[in-house]
Amino acid sequence: MASWLDAAGIDLIEISGGTYEQPKMANLEGIDAVYDPTISKSTPEREAFFARFAPEIRRHVKRAKLMVTGGFRSLKGMAEAITEDGVDLIGLSRPLCLYPDAPPRTIARRTRRI
């Protein structure tokens, strides 16, 4: 589907979905949703929920920009997705609700985690 969108001239394709606690949104059948209130904060292991799909999609998308949204909380996680996974943009979504100044603060390295 991503290659069709790219061929049609779409400018941006966003890779996103549900949450770590809702694995069916990531097409992971047979895995039950897990909710544990003791791990509600993002951890490095849970950061960038959908970045792992970017390299495969990038192979089929040549023109459109790729954006990944979901779970990014650290400058390190964002930088790795951009440099290693072929991602062009990071979607912050929920963090911006609480921290609308997060992008300039992160770029200026005044904060390392959102």
Side-chain angles (χ1 to χ4, degrees):
M1 178 167 282
S3 63
W4 297 340
L5 292 169
D6 192 47
I10 295 295
D11 294 321
L12 174 73
I13 297 172
E14 180 184 20
I15 304 166
S16 186
T19 67
Y20 183 80
E21 289 81 14
Q22 298 170 329
K24 288 188 179 187
M25 292 293 292
N27 200 25
L28 300 173
E29 292 297 324
I31 299 175
D32 292 328
V34 175
Y35 175 72
D36 182 347
T38 64
I39 58 167
S40 62
K41 293 183 178 180
S42 289
T43 63
E45 296 81 30
R46 292 180 58 219
E47 187 166 358
F49 308 140
F50 303 99
R52 66 188 176 99
F53 298 108
E56 177 63 25
I57 293 172
R58 174 54 72 202
R59 284 194 279 278
H60 303 282
V61 172
K62 304 303 177 199
R63 194 192 72 71
K65 301 292 184 192
L66 289 183
M67 180 167 91
V68 174
T69 301
F72 287 101
R73 299 295 182 266
S74 72
L75 180 60
K76 181 178 187 260
M78 293 177 218
E80 286 176 358
I82 289 173
T83 59
E84 295 174 14
D85 296 329
V87 174
D88 298 300
L89 300 157
I90 302 296
L92 294 178
S93 193
R94 290 184 190 163
L96 292 180
C97 294
L98 293 174
Y99 308 104
D101 65 338
R105 290 179 54 81
T106 303
I107 290 168
R109 298 187 185 270
R110 290 190 307 246
T111 186
R112 290 190 176 269
R113 291 197 60 79
I114 301 171

